[in-house]
Amino acid sequence: MADETPIEGVLRTMAVESLFPRLEPLLPAVQKPIQYVGGELNSTVKEWDSTQVRWALMYPDAYEVGLPNQGVQILYEVLNERDWILAERTYSVWPDMEKVMRDNAIPQFTVDGHRPVGAFDLLGVSFATELGYTNLLTALDLAGIPLEACERTDEHPIVLAGGHSAFNPEPIADFLDAAVLGDGEEVVLAISEVVREWKAEGSPGGRDELLFRLAVSGGVYVPKFYDVDYLPDGRIKRVAPNRSGVPSHVVKHTLMDLDKWPYPKQPLVPLAETVHERFSVEIFRGCTRGCRFCQAGMITRPVRERNISTIGEMVQNGVEASGFEEVGLLSLSSADHSEIGEVAKGLADRYEGSNVSLSLPSTRVDAFNVTLANELSRNGRRSGLTFAPEGGSERLRKVINKMVSEDDLIRTVATAYANGWRQVKLYFMCGLPTETDEDVLAIADLAQRVIATGREVSGRNDIRCTVSIGGFVPKPHTPFQWAAQESWENVDSRLSKLRSAIRSDRKYGKAIGLRYHDGQPSVVEGLLSRGDRRVGRVIRSVWADGGRFDGWSEHFSYDRWVKACEEALAGEPVDLDWYTTRERGETEVLPWDHLDAGLDREWLWEDWQDSLDEVEVEDCRWTPCFDCGVCPQMGTEIQVGPTGQKMLPIVGVSQTRQAELVAPAGSRDSG
């Protein structure tokens, strides 16, 4: 990196003109140039001078990963529906494109208007994973925005983070002006109003005043207004506001009526191949199953369902607007929707005979039934079913509160195989708290029993079971936030033993596929997920050493991260192991304690102790409240059906015409 020059000074001379005339001749020199040209169906380009507030929305990964991201698409549409707001998208550029841009002094640009990112009022970055942090630094540097927030002037955008990782933004606090916790639909409009008002007044007080106005609202976290003090042993002493009027705790945003926000209405249709080629509808938000490892379930409470009518309208509008042939019914546990059977039947009836298929993500074993599965596959597509037991042994599933017995799983897969499915995928984690070698080896026994059951009930030998394993990473705002992370050496050793156990069985081994990631990336994710502000030095060191796309195995370098930790944390009482494999005590101040997800800290601690005692906790959707704290603290409540509504056929349209409506544009008769 030392010999590469950042794009400094370019933005002021480029103003807000499109960079595409300069960019286009260079595209043949890079791989997949199509991802940089924009112009997707349903994308939006507005006149710059006709708007008052301008957002650049970034997903810090490649176009093929970032474009399908539901969160960015929703905010893009919500913002652009306001005539006074302009929103455009930008994604991480591959290393070959980065070199071309540096060599030709082309700054980070949006794919909509190809405008320089540094010219916008706000740069909103959505982090689904911490492994995108180095990509943020690349984008800032290419945009000509100083990496450190304290070095930015009134000429630079406000850099604001959101997404699940924003619930502990401390490792990147030095690089952020602000962060937002929770649902974004309403808060991005509120932020836009603050910016519009400040600009209309002539930008009084400059950047500092704008950030202060955002901070005092109580819904935007501005790291510069909080000081962190440390104890001699490296632990945090306290995090406290350093400016009067700034709240001591920043609370998450919760959208309480999803039916009023049926987005995306006009889904983006990619020009290049992406990781998901489908139209996705979020059928509910939040989860109260209480899986102790699951940050998403904890931070998105309470459960809020969309009703069956809204879901039907969203599917109809989205399919007609996009031509997608697959509709994904998304949530953290989609089969738990109180009317999922009616939703699936209504959609299957509506699109029977068309080329539109329905899909669910990973299905809970205890929520699966063959009637639901048959509705989802009525158009003849049976690609496979995915279940997530998470833990190999029944004991371990009690620890993590995944209340699924082995017999439950076997009954479920027996039903699937007996009804025509040939492939089942099982997802597990390795490195969970209290885990032993025996817990992991139990995965092999379970997979073998799955194959044996499938062969027995189907009378066939072409039964397959794929075992997919990810490394466990303790996350903030979960009962496991105090847990010691397993070392990568132990994780890899256990996975090696599991592979040998599966392969050594001649009767079942060839029918079981095993996919897993080694433990090293999980250690780095653990460092970034539970780190504090001192970890920012590590991130910058890794980036300066060439770190890019750490979520991609071909670009990830564990040695680079180890070296950066040794150098950046030299002289500190903390190191890589301190942040990862160390168990925290009950009273230790955690880096995110001042960021409020609504969860009572004492409740989380008690649930951590329950896990060690292998005590399970029920789902509070259907049982009395367990006092996690979210509903009373946030002024929210669980919103579930059933509503008793039915999904009607598309009004005034015959079934034949319905099929024509949802056929892809290229297959329709042009006459």
Side-chain angles (χ1 to χ4, degrees):
M1 283 295 303
D3 59 344
E4 294 177 345
T5 55
I7 311 298
E8 294 285 1
V10 174
L11 301 179
R12 298 310 116 198
T13 59
M14 289 302 301
V16 290
E17 296 176 4
S18 172
L19 297 165
F20 198 70
R22 294 179 54 211
L23 179 66
E24 186 178 21
L26 305 172
L27 291 179
V30 302
Q31 293 184 328
K32 298 183 181 178
I34 190 71
Q35 64 189 310
Y36 305 117
V37 302
E40 300 94 346
L41 180 64
N42 298 324
S43 61
T44 301
V45 179
K46 292 184 176 182
E47 290 294 328
W48 184 270
D49 292 333
S50 69
T51 57
Q52 297 163 280
V53 177
R54 302 161 187 120
W55 285 79
L57 299 175
M58 180 179 189
Y59 190 84
D61 208 324
Y63 175 95
E64 62 198 83
V65 178
L67 184 131
N69 181 262
Q70 190 87 338
V72 172
Q73 287 210 29
I74 289 171
L75 298 185
Y76 178 74
E77 195 169 326
V78 166
L79 290 167
N80 277 319
E81 279 190 346
R82 277 65 185 175
D83 57 11
W84 54 278
I85 304 176
L86 176 154
E88 299 189 0
R89 297 162 294 125
T90 188
Y91 305 103
S92 296
V93 298
W94 285 112
D96 62 345
M97 185 62 165
E98 180 185 346
K99 185 177 188 308
V100 166
M101 291 167 66
R102 291 187 185 280
D103 289 346
N104 293 274
I106 294 177
Q108 181 82 20
F109 55 87
T110 60
V111 296
D112 297 292
H114 294 94
R115 289 158 170 153
V117 166
F120 287 74
D121 297 311
L122 302 116
L123 171 59
V125 189
S126 179
F127 288 103
T129 170
E130 297 86 356
L131 293 176
Y133 289 165
T134 50
N135 285 353
L136 167 66
L137 299 192
T138 302
L140 292 176
D141 192 53
L142 285 172
I145 301 170
L147 300 186
E148 304 280 342
C150 62
E151 297 176 2
R152 295 172 195 152
T153 70
D154 294 353
E155 300 300 309
H156 298 115
I158 298 297
V159 180
L160 184 145
H164 287 181
S165 297
F167 278 80
N168 178 28
E170 292 302 278
I172 52 171
D174 289 346
F175 316 125
L176 297 178
D177 294 300
V180 171
L181 281 62
D183 301 330
E185 289 94 334
E186 294 174 321
V187 70
V188 292
L189 295 176
I191 291 170
S192 300
E193 289 281 9
V194 172
V195 173
R196 176 165 71 165
E197 181 179 301
W198 173 77
K199 290 177 71 174
E201 294 173 4
S203 306
R207 183 185 200 85
D208 193 70
E209 171 64 19
L210 175 57
L211 290 172
F212 180 69
R213 292 186 184 189
L214 293 172
V216 297
S217 70
V220 178
Y221 174 52
V222 179
K224 69 176 288 185
F225 295 144
Y226 296 80
D227 290 336
V228 182
D229 298 323
Y230 300 96
L231 296 167
D233 63 3
R235 291 177 300 151
I236 295 174
K237 181 178 180 181
R238 68 167 193 161
V239 179
N242 57 29
R243 187 162 174 175
S244 177
V246 174
S248 60
H249 287 74
V250 178
V251 298
K252 75 170 183 180
H253 297 267
T254 304
L255 189 68
M256 281 310 300
D257 191 347
L258 294 185
D259 291 321
K260 290 184 178 179
W261 298 81
Y263 296 92
K265 301 174 184 176
Q266 300 285 319
L268 293 165
V269 181
L271 298 177
E273 183 179 358
T274 59
V275 293
H276 298 302
E277 301 284 350
R278 67 188 178 206
F279 171 55
S280 297
V281 174
E282 185 183 25
I283 62 175
F284 72 86
R285 193 172 293 180
C287 183
T288 48
R289 284 281 191 168
C291 299
R292 293 172 173 131
F293 57 83
C294 183
Q295 184 189 48
M298 293 291 172
I299 64 177
T300 59
R301 294 181 175 207
V303 171
R304 292 144 287 151
E305 288 187 355
R306 280 197 167 103
N307 70 47
I308 188 170
S309 299
T310 302
I311 295 170
E313 292 170 6
M314 290 179 68
V315 171
Q316 177 187 345
N317 295 337
V319 169
E320 291 181 4
S322 67
F324 279 122
E325 296 183 7
E326 180 182 342
V327 175
L329 304 177
L330 301 187
S331 74
L332 292 174
S333 184
S334 293
D336 282 339
H337 191 287
S338 64
E339 295 179 296
I340 188 61
E342 290 81 2
V343 168
K345 183 181 185 305
L347 291 174
D349 286 345
R350 178 178 287 183
Y351 297 110
E352 186 170 15
S354 76
N355 57 354
V356 173
S357 65
L358 307 175
S359 67
L360 287 184
S362 173
T363 307
R364 285 189 62 97
V365 170
D366 50 354
F368 173 84
N369 64 74
V370 73
T371 302
L372 172 61
N374 283 334
E375 296 290 5
L376 292 168
S377 61
R378 200 191 292 181
N379 278 345
R381 302 183 185 184
R382 294 194 174 189
S383 57
L385 294 168
T386 301
F387 302 105
E390 308 291 1
S393 69
E394 206 142 319
R395 183 199 72 80
L396 195 57
R397 288 192 289 276
K398 290 180 180 179
V399 170
I400 64 178
N401 205 46
K402 191 79 174 185
M403 292 181 286
V404 175
S405 71
E406 184 170 327
D407 288 342
D408 289 337
L409 177 62
I410 295 303
R411 278 194 296 269
T412 297
V413 298
T415 301
Y417 286 131
N419 284 273
W421 273 268
R422 297 288 170 260
Q423 171 126 354
V424 166
K425 182 177 180 180
L426 303 178
Y427 183 81
F428 298 90
M429 286 187 290
C430 185
L432 289 161
T434 79
E435 179 186 275
T436 64
D437 288 3
E438 288 69 29
D439 292 315
V440 175
L441 290 173
I443 296 172
D445 297 332
L446 191 56
Q448 290 160 4
R449 192 177 170 194
V450 165
I451 295 296
T453 301
R455 290 174 179 174
E456 178 184 350
V457 300
S458 69
R460 301 172 63 112
N461 285 324
D462 60 343
I463 297 300
R464 292 279 299 169
C465 173
T466 299
V467 172
S468 181
I469 304 180
F472 167 68
V473 179
K475 294 286 186 174
H477 306 284
T478 71
F480 289 161
Q481 65 182 359
W482 291 279
Q485 185 171 354
E486 191 62 82
S487 70
W488 69 265
E489 292 93 344
N490 282 347
V491 169
D492 286 359
S493 173
R494 287 172 185 163
L495 292 175
S496 178
K497 292 174 182 176
L498 175 62
R499 183 179 63 240
S500 297
I502 291 175
R503 288 181 175 177
S504 65
D505 189 290
R506 294 184 178 181
K507 187 175 182 181
Y508 301 113
K510 290 185 178 179
I512 302 171
L514 179 62
R515 300 176 183 171
Y516 64 86
H517 301 287
D518 62 53
Q520 290 181 341
S522 296
V523 171
V524 172
E525 186 180 343
L527 166 73
L528 300 177
S529 68
R530 291 195 292 174
D532 52 45
R533 295 189 183 184
R534 292 168 291 191
V535 174
R537 303 176 220 160
V538 179
I539 298 169
R540 180 160 187 171
S541 178
V542 167
W543 174 80
D545 194 34
R548 306 286 190 278
F549 290 94
D550 288 294
W552 296 69
S553 57
E554 60 266 41
H555 295 279
F556 175 79
S557 169
Y558 183 69
D559 291 342
R560 180 188 286 137
W561 281 93
V562 171
K563 175 187 173 187
C565 284
E566 291 172 348
E567 294 177 352
L569 300 175
E572 294 280 358
V574 299
D575 57 17
L576 179 58
D577 289 342
W578 191 90
Y579 283 110
T580 55
T581 58
R582 177 182 67 93
E583 184 172 327
R584 280 69 166 164
E586 179 180 7
T587 60
E588 178 172 342
V589 177
L590 303 175
W592 52 89
D593 277 347
H594 58 298
L595 303 174
D596 191 357
L599 297 155
D600 184 77
R601 199 177 193 272
E602 291 183 8
W603 178 84
L604 286 172
W605 177 263
E606 289 170 3
D607 204 40
W608 166 227
Q609 301 309 300
D610 282 345
S611 75
L612 298 176
D613 293 333
E614 300 171 17
V615 175
E616 297 172 306
V617 178
E618 297 284 346
D619 185 340
C620 67
R621 257 174 297 194
W622 324 118
T623 61
C625 176
F626 287 103
D627 296 323
C628 76
V630 169
C631 292
Q633 286 187 208
M634 297 285 155
T636 60
E637 61 182 357
I638 291 174
Q639 295 179 343
V640 296
T643 64
Q645 299 178 11
K646 298 294 182 184
M647 188 177 298
L648 301 175
I650 302 175
V651 178
V653 182
S654 69
Q655 195 135 16
T656 301
R657 180 56 182 149
Q658 288 183 37
E660 292 174 356
L661 281 173
V662 297
S667 69
R668 296 177 191 157
D669 186 348
S670 59

